[in-house]
Amino acid sequence: MEQVNISEYNPHWALEFEQEKMKIAEALDGTVLGIEHIGSTSVPGLGAKPIIDIMAGVSALDEITPMHRVRLERIGYHFVDHPHFPERRFFRRGEWRAGTHHLHVYRHEGEHWNTQLLFRNYLIRHPEALKEYFRLKQHLARQYPHDRVKYTEAKGSFIRKIIELARTENEN
């Protein structure tokens, strides 16, 4: 049974992202318009499940061809079909339920791309929100120690609140 573990922030996560970014850019050569480090490991000072979340942006998702999938497979990223998330293509590096890296491919500067950046950047700019999110994650990891789905779902209202605050802040 999988365990939900929240690690203290590790500055090595940023270095890992930079190494992966170069490999992913090469694998998606000709289609990728941007690559960002997202998720909790991208926020300095925020504890997280030690999984590096990476977002690659393309003009259209159908630009990810079988050739790109083969190239990503060669560097360890396996395509995971998530038909209930048609707005992205998802690749995992590492074993099922024990991945070390997640690659999310979105339409560059589309709604989902922008939302990921809003959330990350808000937490970076607002240390009090970062601390509140870290406490919530620790609490939920204790509450759902063997249920990653419930753990993730339980963070939803906080994440939505932060995204709304970030949108409001950006409008002003």
Side-chain angles (χ1 to χ4, degrees):
M1 187 171 274
E2 69 179 299
Q3 179 83 24
V4 177
N5 287 318
I6 305 300
S7 301
E8 291 292 324
Y9 178 75
N10 182 341
H12 185 71
W13 292 337
L15 299 173
E16 265 190 73
F17 162 72
E18 289 299 330
Q19 292 169 346
E20 294 304 307
K21 178 181 178 179
M22 290 185 293
K23 293 188 252 180
I24 291 166
E26 190 174 312
L28 296 177
D29 187 36
T31 60
V32 72
L33 300 173
I35 300 175
E36 296 281 342
H37 188 183
I38 60 169
S40 294
T41 61
S42 70
V43 180
L46 181 57
K49 293 187 310 285
I51 299 168
I52 308 300
D53 281 292
I54 301 167
M55 176 172 69
V58 295
S59 295
L61 293 179
D62 60 7
E63 291 183 354
I64 302 300
T65 65
M67 173 194 66
H68 293 110
R69 288 185 187 182
V70 167
R71 287 180 181 174
L72 287 168
E73 181 100 19
R74 282 187 197 136
I75 60 169
Y77 287 87
H78 306 282
F79 177 70
V80 180
D81 190 21
H82 283 299
H84 49 287
F85 291 112
E87 71 281 353
R88 75 166 181 187
R89 298 296 175 268
F90 180 74
F91 298 82
R92 180 194 73 250
R93 183 166 171 207
E95 297 301 315
W96 175 249
R97 293 285 185 209
T100 58
H101 299 72
H102 291 165
L103 173 61
H104 312 261
V105 181
Y106 290 111
R107 190 171 57 78
H108 188 254
E109 296 183 357
E111 178 186 349
H112 297 283
W113 173 276
N114 293 336
T115 299
Q116 292 286 344
L117 296 179
L118 276 172
F119 183 72
R120 178 196 70 190
N121 295 343
Y122 189 90
L123 290 178
I124 290 170
R125 287 191 312 271
H126 297 276
E128 70 286 348
L130 181 152
K131 288 177 189 149
E132 184 182 352
Y133 189 41
F134 188 34
R135 284 192 302 270
L136 173 65
K137 290 165 56 134
Q138 290 173 314
H139 168 75
L140 294 174
R142 287 189 300 273
Q143 188 173 355
Y144 303 110
H146 302 290
D147 194 335
R148 187 183 286 186
V149 172
K150 281 204 164 85
Y151 163 84
T152 300
E153 287 172 354
K155 295 186 304 179
S157 62
F158 180 86
I159 292 169
R160 288 187 295 276
K161 176 183 91 170
I162 293 299
I163 291 167
E164 282 310 308
L165 289 168
R167 284 190 175 121
T168 301
E169 186 176 277
N170 278 2
E171 290 169 2
N172 296 331

